[in-house]
């Protein structure tokens, strides 16, 4: 029988649905294993062969774990809110919901063809109200919580108001935007609005004034990566920095826990390092500086308190509130002009760009150690959002301060007297290198740092600062709170209404608050977000429902929030929802969560290293504090699949003609290379007829061939439509079958590595499956399988395979497993082995990779049920032991012949047998034996004289 993959795959895909093969329920009798892929955004272009790479890798693992007896959860869904659908809606008027649904259907069709073991009963879509109910719910919980530093946990905001009523801010150690100080009496005397404003300073979801990338033409805030060189990536419109009231999540409160948690999870070191840098823990000191001739004081953050003596000026971030206070009248015009200039630059550009700009404020600060007055400057190399937004500059020891001092002619004062401060002796990392332990360092008042290492000097200065009340020891994190508002339509609406300009939550029982219909997906004429177009977008607090805007009376009916949530809202807790996707009363039932706990294996791209993987860890920690999520870290093991790059093909057009010359002849002409659709090229040979039909301008194309063929050039590039190198998995499935596609994707190389898609080798994998099939059937469709017992050699071949594949799957080295399968099939074919005892087990080991063909053969061998429910075979090491060993027999060091001995033969026996062999007599030439050396399992050397 021919290996008819089309029929087999269709049959099993249908059977799996009918038999609910991949449906999973909580089963206390079995140990759980949770496999998860980062869910896709269903784009209009559909899947290309790069997308399923991670899904196949995790599917193999899921199937393997199931065969090992685990109860495996392997769900799939869609990250369905997002910008492309909205942009498309703006251009065409087509509702994003319509295009999103169509794209999802297409994705599903494509995924179904590849034979994944997803439990589709658990599918989720982030744009489904049933789903975003719980996104809104979590947001409300965050609004109603604050973060207690002492207990390192989120707590209900009611505890905070109780504390305020009893003690004001006294004894409080909580995360906040700004440190406030008031008494219980002052708190009680405040009106509702003022109290609400105060609470905003502590809520985990809060409205905050933040600097944002504002694009007036697009009418929206843009993320940093949507701004390139000061203009919007889409449209190229100017972007300015603007302070705006936005919803924020107090991710920074969790910085230390986000850092500590990394030690408890199995992620790659490089990913952990990226997260550590992003969180950016920095131990230092905050020191107060007085302003000369004024009562004002301001605080700076430094990690090098020991450099206080080298301070020669101060620098404020342009956005700092101090700028207004400290700019003198004479400097005002210059300062204003400078502020106008820096407004245009994003924070990222400011960090990347090392050109020096700045302006003098006109004021001076007093160094608290030396009493000396130093000028206060303003420059955008100091960032408003980090530390205190103000620094003490030590140009002799910090490279940016050094560049600044050089540019503006300010003093550069090294800590060690007499040090050279020229550019040659300045090290970008270390500054002017001081001798350490130091000598000749000027004492600060009564503090001497002589003889100390830098570390010791920093510690000593910190103690000094504390004891003399000059400041305090402080740990800073680079991690910022997340801006959580977007001025967009296609996202989760906030369950929030406004009373007297303050936000209030609609009651929990009224969730979800569904996204309203709008006439236009653009901002309104008055600059409000698209939800400003909604006519029915007001909250009736008495009847708990959405009503017509005209009914707003600001007594019981109020306007609803017009912003929507950002992309990461829906992806932050989706793994929890898969555990219990149809629960109408909770995000996830407590018992169910206690069963599945967290994701055991998470597979996805590295591009989410600092976005999604920080936000979801934060979100999960918050839910853990609430007692909703059992385990603090959501993703135990994480594997980043590499990218599949495209393999582009080129044709070479002779300039100013419509003639194309084959690769190896092209140097004889003046040619231009042009991308050609890889789908009309096979093994780098162009289908010239298909080329002519490809585009109208090539209809009359002529060719200069070599050996009667047109050979194309090739290059590895990003897989993209514009390079005509996109390979669609459907085409591969159609031509070779899903099992070949699955195995081939894994054969390309280690899962974690990026590699080009190169169809040239796919035939080999396809041939392997055919060869495997041929162990079961001969050419005339006769079944070859017998019940004969297996020989040692056959068992050895099989158990070698079991050992290799088991080890490979555990380490995600699937590519070498594929080679092992090929070797084993070759060995078994060589041995003409079609024994059931061997083939049954081979099928099980191959099933995670090529599930369709394995189900078919499993059934054919008369097994009951799906191969998914059989048992992963254990490797029996006994079969791997070599039963006999081949010895080289040599005389006086010269190899003469070989002899087989049982692997466990004793040296004596070997020696006697060798000497008794008649060939030995020949090589000894009648001489006496002086010595016999037996090297176990290798060699016997006979020394004769
Ligand atoms: C004096 C000094 C001397 C500094 C020296 C460094 C070297 P990390 O490790 O990243 O926390 N700094 C503080 N706030 C800043 C801001 N908002 N924008 C830009 N720079 C800022 O770095 C902390 C150091 O970066 C601080 O220590 C401060 O400069 C600067 F030889 O103070 B240092």
């Amino acid at each position: 029988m021919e290996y008819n993959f089309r029929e087999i795959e269709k049959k099993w895909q249908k059977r799996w649905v009918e038999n609910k093969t991949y449906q999973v329920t909580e089963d206390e009798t079995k140990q759980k294993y949770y496999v998860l892929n980062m869910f896709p955004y269903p784009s209009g272009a559909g899947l290309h062969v790069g997308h399923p790479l991670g899904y196949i890798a995790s599917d193999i693992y899921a199937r393997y774990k199931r065969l090992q007896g685990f109860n495996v959860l392997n769900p799939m869904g869609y990250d369905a809110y997002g910008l492309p659908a909205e942009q498309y809606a703006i251009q065409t008027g087509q509702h994003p919901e319509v295009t999103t649904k169509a794209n999802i259907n297409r994705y599903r069709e494509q995924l179904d063809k590849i034979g994944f073991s997803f439990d589709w009963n658990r599918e989720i879509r982030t744009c489904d109200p049933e789903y975003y109910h719980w996104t809104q719910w979590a947001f409300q919980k965050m609004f109603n919580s604050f973060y207690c530093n002492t207990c390192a946990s989120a707590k209900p905001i009611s505890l905070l108001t109780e504390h305020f009523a009893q003690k004001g801010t006294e004894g409080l150690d909580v995360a906040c935007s700004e440190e406030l100080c008031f008494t219980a009496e002052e708190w009680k005397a405040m009106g509702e609005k003022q109290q609400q404003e105060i609470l905003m300073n502590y809520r985990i979801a809060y409205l905050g004034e933040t600097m944002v990338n504002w694009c007036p033409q697009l009418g929206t805030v843009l993320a940093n990566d949507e701004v390139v060189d000061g203009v919007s990536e889409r449209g190229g419109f100017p972007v300015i920095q603007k302070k705006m009231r936005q919803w924020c999540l107090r991710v920074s409160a969790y910085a230390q826990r986000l850092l500590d948690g990394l030690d408890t999870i199995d992620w790659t070191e490089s990913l952990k390092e990226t997260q550590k840098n992003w969180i950016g823990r920095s131990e230092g000191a905050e020191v107060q500086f007085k302003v000369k001739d004024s009562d004002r004081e301001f605080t700076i953050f430094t990690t090098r308190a020991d450099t206080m003596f080298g301070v020669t000026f101060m620098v404020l971030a342009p956005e700092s509130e101090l700028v207004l206070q400290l700019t003198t009248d004479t400097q005002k015009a210059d300062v204003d002009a400078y502020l106008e200039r820096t407004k245009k630059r994003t924070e990222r550009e400011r960090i990347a760009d090392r050109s020096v700009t700045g302006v003098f404020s006109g004021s001076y600060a007093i160094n608290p150690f030396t009493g000396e007055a130093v000028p206060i400057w303003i420059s955008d190399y100091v960032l408003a959002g980090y530390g205190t937004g103000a620094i003490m500059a030590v140009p002799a020891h910090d490279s940016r301060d050094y560049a600044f001092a050089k540019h503006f002619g300010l003093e550069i004062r090294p800590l060690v007297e007499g040090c050279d401060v020229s550019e040659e002796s300045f090290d970008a990392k270390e500054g002017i290198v001081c001798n350490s332990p130091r000598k000749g360092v000027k004492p600060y008042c009564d503090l001497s740092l002589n003889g100390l290492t830098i570390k010791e000097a920093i510690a000593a200065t910190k103690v000094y600062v504390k004891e003399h009340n000059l400041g305090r020891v402080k740990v800073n994190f680079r991690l910022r709170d997340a801006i959580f508002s977007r001025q967009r339509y296609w996202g989760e609406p906030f369950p929030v209404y406004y009373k007297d300009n303050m936000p209030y939550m609609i009651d929990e029982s009224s969730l979800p608050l569904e996204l309203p219909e709008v006439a236009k997906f653009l901002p309104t004429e008055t600059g409000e977000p698209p939800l400003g177009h909604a006519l029915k977008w007001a909250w009736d607090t008495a009847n708990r429902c959405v009503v017509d805007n005209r009914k707003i009376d600001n007594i019981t009916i109020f306007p609803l929030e017009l912003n929507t949530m950002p992309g990461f809202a829906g992806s932050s807790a989706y793994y929890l929802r898969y555990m219990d996707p149809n629960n109408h009363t909770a995000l996830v039932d407590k018992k169910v969560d206690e069963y599945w706990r967290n994701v055991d294996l998470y597979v996805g791209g590295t591009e989410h290293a600092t976005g999604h993987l920080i936000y979801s860890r934060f979100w999960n920690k918050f839910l853990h504090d609430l007692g909703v999520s059992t385990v603090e870290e959501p993703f135990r093991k994480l594997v980043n699949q590499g990218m599949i790059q495209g393999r582009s093909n080129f044709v070479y057009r002779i300039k100013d003609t419509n003639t194309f010359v084959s690769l190896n002849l092209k140097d004889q002409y003046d040619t231009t290379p042009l991308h050609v659709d890889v789908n009309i090229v096979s093994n780098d040979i162009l289908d010239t007829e298909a080329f002519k039909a490809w585009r109208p301008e090539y209809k009359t194309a002529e060719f200069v061939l070599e050996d009667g063929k047109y050979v194309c050039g090739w290059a590895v590039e990003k897989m993209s439509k514009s390079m005509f190198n996109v390979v669609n998995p459907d085409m591969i499935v159609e031509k070779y079958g899903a099992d070949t596609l699955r195995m081939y994707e894994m054969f390309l190389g280690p899962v974690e590595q990026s590699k080009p898609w190169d169809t040239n080798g796919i035939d080999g994998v396809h041939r392997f499956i055919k060869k495997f099939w041929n162990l079961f059937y001969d050419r005339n469709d006769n079944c070859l399988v017998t019940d004969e017992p297996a020989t040692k050699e056959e068992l050895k071949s099989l158990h070698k395979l079991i050992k290799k594949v088991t080890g490979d799957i555990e380490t995600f080295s699937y590519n070498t497993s594929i080679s092992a399968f090929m070797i084993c099939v070759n060995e078994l074919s060589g041995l003409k082995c079609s024994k059931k005892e061997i083939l049954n087990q081979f099928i099980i080991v191959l099933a995670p990779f090529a599930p369709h063909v394995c189900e078919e053969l499993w059934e054919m061998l008369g097994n009951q049920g799906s191969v998914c429910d059989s048992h992963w075979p254990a490797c029996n090491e006994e079969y791997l032991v070599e039963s006999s060993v081949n010895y080289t027999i040599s005389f006086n060091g010269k190899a003469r012949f070989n002899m087989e001995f049982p692997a466990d033969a004793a040296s004596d026996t070997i020696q006697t047998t060798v000497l008794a062999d008649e060939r030995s007599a020949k090589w000894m030439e009648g001489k006496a034996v002086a010595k016999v050396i037996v090297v176990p399992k290798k060699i016997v050397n006979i020394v004769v004289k």
Side-chain angles (χ1 to χ4, degrees):
M1 205 189 312
E2 269 281 288
Y3 164 49
N4 186 342
F5 59 83
R6 288 197 188 90
E7 248 172 49
I8 294 171
E9 294 184 355
K10 223 192 268 148
K11 166 180 161 186
W12 285 99
Q13 284 166 11
K14 195 163 156 256
R15 191 76 79 76
W16 289 331
V17 175
E18 286 163 4
N19 294 350
K20 302 187 169 69
T21 308
Y22 302 125
Q23 258 186 44
V24 55
T25 50
E26 294 67 51
D27 179 350
E28 294 291 347
T29 64
K30 280 187 186 167
Q31 215 180 325
K32 69 97 189 186
Y33 199 90
Y34 186 175
V35 175
L36 184 65
N37 296 288
M38 290 186 186
F39 63 168
Y41 172 76
S43 84
L47 290 174
H48 66 58
V49 288
H51 297 118
L53 183 84
Y55 308 158
I56 296 170
S58 58
D59 193 58
I60 291 172
Y61 204 80
R63 288 171 178 274
Y64 162 73
K65 279 285 177 188
R66 176 167 174 176
L67 284 166
Q68 287 200 322
F70 287 85
N71 188 27
V72 178
L73 176 57
N74 183 23
M76 190 42 120
Y78 304 98
D79 189 10
Y81 273 134
L83 200 56
E86 178 155 346
Q87 294 286 344
Y88 192 70
I90 292 168
Q91 285 157 17
T92 63
Q94 177 102 262
H95 198 290
E97 187 171 352
V98 175
T99 47
T100 303
K101 273 198 177 145
N103 293 348
I104 286 179
N105 291 340
R106 165 121 178 80
Y107 264 58
R108 176 64 191 273
E109 236 176 66
Q110 289 188 293
L111 291 171
D112 278 348
K113 284 186 191 160
I114 306 177
F116 292 115
S117 62
F118 297 137
D119 178 358
W120 284 108
N121 266 349
R122 293 175 182 257
E123 181 198 299
I124 54 168
R125 302 176 181 196
T126 53
C127 66
D128 180 354
E130 268 283 308
Y131 177 84
Y132 66 68
H133 180 157
W134 303 105
T135 312
Q136 293 177 333
W137 169 86
F139 167 80
Q140 290 199 336
K141 291 283 176 215
M142 290 182 197
F143 181 81
N144 287 318
S145 303
F146 71 101
Y147 192 83
C148 169
N149 288 333
T150 323
C151 47
S153 173
K155 294 278 168 194
I157 202 93
S158 55
L159 290 184
L160 191 65
T161 46
E162 266 169 42
H163 186 105
F164 288 159
Q166 281 165 16
K167 299 185 195 154
T169 50
E170 199 193 314
L172 212 56
D173 184 10
V174 297
C176 57
S177 308
E178 195 186 333
E179 268 173 54
L180 302 176
C181 192
F182 52 82
T183 64
E185 282 58 47
E186 283 169 326
W187 168 257
K188 283 184 247 173
M190 290 175 199
E192 183 190 338
K193 184 167 180 183
Q194 203 183 350
Q195 284 189 344
Q196 286 300 323
E197 270 164 6
I198 296 267
L199 289 176
M200 211 46 107
N201 190 47
Y202 303 95
R203 295 182 189 277
I204 290 182
Y206 64 95
L207 267 180
E209 293 274 341
T210 54
M211 276 293 176
V212 293
N213 303 314
W214 174 250
C215 178
Q217 267 91 339
L218 292 177
T220 187
V221 166
L222 297 174
N224 279 336
D225 51 356
E226 291 166 332
V227 184
V228 180
D229 298 331
V231 297
S232 63
E233 193 189 19
R234 275 172 195 267
F237 301 117
V239 174
I240 57 163
Q241 298 298 299
K242 185 177 162 186
K243 239 185 190 173
M244 265 180 76
R245 210 166 168 226
Q246 301 273 307
W247 283 107
C248 302
L249 303 184
R250 209 176 293 284
V251 180
S252 61
Y254 284 80
Q256 189 63 49
R257 278 168 67 189
L258 286 168
L259 201 58
D260 295 342
L262 291 174
D263 293 334
T264 67
I265 50 184
D266 182 7
W267 292 14
T268 60
E269 277 313 310
S270 75
L271 183 50
K272 285 188 187 181
E273 205 46 40
T274 308
Q275 290 226 329
K276 274 183 197 160
N277 289 336
W278 190 257
I279 297 165
R281 186 178 197 275
S282 175
E283 278 181 29
E286 282 185 353
V287 183
Q288 260 112 35
F289 279 69
K290 287 198 164 61
V291 178
K292 192 181 165 207
D293 302 329
S294 150
D295 310 331
R296 289 190 199 282
E297 255 189 353
F298 66 96
T299 309
I300 60 95
F301 173 70
T302 178
T303 44
R304 291 290 307 275
D306 65 311
T307 60
M308 198 65 83
F309 175 74
V311 176
T312 55
F313 57 100
M314 312 294 288
V315 188
L316 308 176
E319 305 85 352
S320 166
E321 283 168 9
L322 293 164
V323 169
L324 204 65
Q325 299 165 10
L326 302 184
T327 301
T328 57
D329 290 346
T330 45
Q331 286 299 103
K332 191 165 182 330
D334 286 357
V335 170
D336 284 349
Y338 182 69
L339 297 186
E340 198 48 45
R341 261 174 73 193
T342 57
K343 242 191 197 170
K344 298 196 178 77
R345 289 159 41 105
T346 65
E347 187 166 296
R348 203 184 266 198
E349 284 171 341
R350 284 163 55 169
I351 296 170
D353 180 13
R354 293 229 145 204
S355 60
V356 179
T357 65
V359 61
F360 178 44
S361 71
S363 294
Y364 291 82
I366 307 291
N367 184 329
F369 279 54
T370 63
E372 184 189 14
V374 290
I376 304 173
W377 284 69
I378 298 156
S379 172
D380 70 0
Y381 81 88
V382 175
L383 306 173
Y386 187 65
T388 62
I391 67 158
M392 62 182 211
V394 186
H397 299 280
D398 178 278
S399 60
R400 303 205 69 169
D401 298 348
Y402 184 80
F404 195 84
K406 277 269 177 206
H407 188 86
F408 289 107
L410 299 162
E411 189 195 347
I412 299 168
R413 186 192 300 163
L415 292 184
V416 178
E417 282 195 305
C419 260
D420 174 30
V421 293
S422 67
E423 264 162 74
E424 295 78 60
S425 55
F426 195 89
D427 178 88
K429 254 194 177 150
E430 308 260 323
I432 302 292
V433 185
C434 287
N435 43 359
S436 179
R438 297 167 185 202
K439 287 190 208 96
V441 182
K442 277 208 171 171
Y444 309 139
C445 320
D446 48 346
L447 172 71
S448 169
L449 301 177
N450 266 326
L452 304 183
T453 61
I454 293 187
K455 222 172 158 189
E456 289 163 348
I458 294 173
T461 324
K462 276 189 190 164
V463 172
Y464 187 89
V465 164
K466 219 169 142 190
E467 280 174 356
H468 290 73
N469 246 346
L470 302 175
R472 59 172 178 170
V473 173
K474 179 83 201 279
V475 175
N476 260 337
F477 291 95
R478 287 211 170 257
L479 184 68
R480 297 275 75 91
D481 286 347
I483 299 179
F484 202 61
S485 309
R486 295 292 182 273
Q487 293 69 42
R488 300 228 162 99
Y489 175 71
W490 193 230
E492 298 84 350
F494 282 92
V496 172
Y497 65 88
Y498 284 87
K499 181 172 136 189
D500 197 11
N501 217 11
M502 287 307 286
Y504 288 82
M505 299 294 119
I506 69 169
D507 45 290
E508 201 178 308
S509 62
S510 302
L511 296 179
L513 176 68
E514 292 196 27
L515 188 65
E517 289 307 322
V518 291
K520 268 195 210 156
F521 304 107
L522 283 168
T524 67
E525 283 67 38
T526 50
E528 280 170 338
L531 292 194
H533 288 295
L535 302 174
K536 193 179 167 199
W537 197 235
W539 188 248
D540 181 337
T541 53
N543 299 305
R544 298 178 172 186
C545 59
V546 178
V547 295
D548 200 303
N549 294 356
R550 285 171 297 191
K551 292 193 176 157
I552 293 174
D553 57 10
N554 290 311
I555 302 165
T556 57
I557 300 179
F558 302 94
L560 280 158
E561 168 73 62
L562 301 181
N563 286 299
T564 54
M565 296 186 193
F568 70 83
S571 56
S572 286
Y574 73 114
Y575 51 89
L576 289 173
R577 190 64 181 163
Y578 279 137
M579 296 176 184
D580 200 7
N582 302 314
N583 191 329
H584 299 301
T585 54
L587 164 63
V588 48
D589 176 79
K590 189 74 196 124
K591 278 237 139 40
V592 173
D593 187 76
E594 275 167 9
Y595 180 74
W596 294 112
R597 299 172 68 80
N598 56 356
V599 175
D600 294 287
L601 171 67
Y602 197 26
V603 179
T606 41
E607 66 275 20
H608 301 291
T610 51
H612 163 62
L613 288 176
I614 289 274
Y615 297 132
S616 52
R617 290 182 62 218
F618 151 76
W619 202 287
N620 192 70
K621 282 175 195 297
F622 171 74
L623 293 178
H624 177 68
D625 289 350
L626 251 57
V628 174
S629 170
T630 311
V631 181
E632 166 137 11
E633 283 294 336
F635 313 118
R636 201 181 53 76
K637 181 176 176 62
L638 188 131
V639 170
N640 288 125
Q641 89 273 15
M643 287 248 294
I644 289 207
Q645 294 142 325
R647 189 177 185 280
S648 312
N649 276 119
F650 299 95
V651 289
Y652 304 90
R653 178 157 60 187
I654 301 174
K655 277 214 171 113
D656 305 321
T657 70
N658 211 10
T659 303
F660 296 82
V661 50
S662 186
L663 175 69
N664 300 304
L665 304 174
K666 77 174 181 5
D667 293 344
Q668 301 167 21
Y669 303 85
D670 183 9
T671 59
T672 321
L674 296 168
H675 277 97
V676 58
D677 186 349
V678 292
N679 294 301
I680 55 172
V681 179
S682 169
N683 290 345
D684 289 338
I685 307 297
L686 180 71
D687 178 340
T688 50
E689 284 313 307
F691 181 73
K692 286 186 183 174
W694 181 39
R695 310 189 119 193
E697 66 262 39
Y698 300 142
K699 207 170 159 191
T700 56
E702 290 180 23
F703 303 93
V704 181
L705 307 176
E706 51 182 306
D707 298 334
K709 288 176 187 155
Y710 189 100
V711 182
C712 296
W714 62 274
V716 171
E717 298 174 303
K718 186 175 177 243
M719 197 171 272
S720 124
K721 264 187 178 172
S722 64
M723 298 183 188
F724 302 108
N725 61 6
V726 174
V727 184
N728 184 313
D730 303 7
M731 271 186 42
I732 306 281
V733 169
E734 179 53 35
K735 199 162 165 201
Y736 299 98
D739 287 338
T740 299
L741 171 77
R742 292 170 62 103
M743 291 197 79
Y744 188 58
E745 292 230 359
M746 296 302 104
F747 190 51
L748 283 174
V751 176
E752 278 124 321
Q753 235 168 53
S754 287
K755 55 235 158 186
W757 178 260
D758 180 353
T759 339
N760 293 344
I762 203 164
D763 293 311
V765 173
H766 191 61
R767 267 199 308 276
F768 152 76
I769 301 183
K770 279 189 179 162
K771 224 170 167 185
F772 176 59
W773 182 265
N774 290 341
L775 292 174
F776 297 76
Y777 291 103
D778 73 6
R779 279 202 200 126
N780 306 318
D781 286 0
N782 297 316
C783 178
L784 298 169
V785 183
T786 68
D787 284 325
E788 275 175 57
T791 65
K792 271 198 169 169
E793 213 170 340
E794 290 160 352
L795 284 165
K796 185 174 153 195
S797 182
L798 172 72
H799 283 262
K800 229 172 37 184
L801 177 74
I802 296 172
K803 185 174 181 174
K804 177 88 183 106
V805 176
T806 309
D808 283 353
I809 294 186
E810 291 290 355
T811 55
F812 299 91
S813 312
Y814 300 154
N815 54 322
T816 51
S817 286
I818 313 274
S819 315
F821 285 127
M822 292 175 171
I823 292 169
C824 188
V825 159
N826 285 343
E827 286 174 355
L828 295 179
S829 306
L831 295 168
K832 302 214 171 340
C833 169
S834 289
K835 293 171 182 161
K836 196 168 173 181
E837 186 186 343
I838 299 288
L839 296 183
N840 244 340
Q841 305 229 340
F842 195 142
I843 293 176
I844 301 172
V845 182
L846 182 64
F849 296 80
H852 306 87
V853 69
C854 288
E855 287 278 27
E856 180 70 14
L857 294 170
W858 182 252
E859 183 182 59
M860 189 278 272
L861 292 188
N863 294 297
Q864 292 299 307
S866 162
V867 67
C868 298
D869 292 317
S870 56
H871 300 287
W872 188 260
C875 164
N876 187 342
E877 292 281 346
E878 268 175 37
Y879 295 128
L880 302 185
V881 177
E882 301 287 338
S883 51
S884 63
V885 181
N886 200 315
Y887 279 82
T888 306
I889 316 298
S890 40
F891 295 84
N892 286 350
K894 281 200 179 123
R896 296 304 182 184
F897 58 91
N898 290 329
M899 282 179 84
E900 286 275 318
F901 286 99
D904 54 356
S907 284
D908 293 358
T909 327
I910 295 175
Q911 187 172 332
T912 339
T913 321
V914 170
L915 291 176
D917 195 281
E918 53 189 39
R919 284 170 294 182
S920 296
K922 179 182 156 203
W923 292 110
M924 289 195 304
E925 295 163 348
K927 290 180 189 153
V929 176
K931 207 159 130 197
V932 179
I933 305 155
V934 179
V935 184
K937 302 206 155 84
K938 285 202 175 97
I939 208 165
V940 181
N941 188 23
I942 298 148
V943 185
V944 289
K945 52 178 183 195

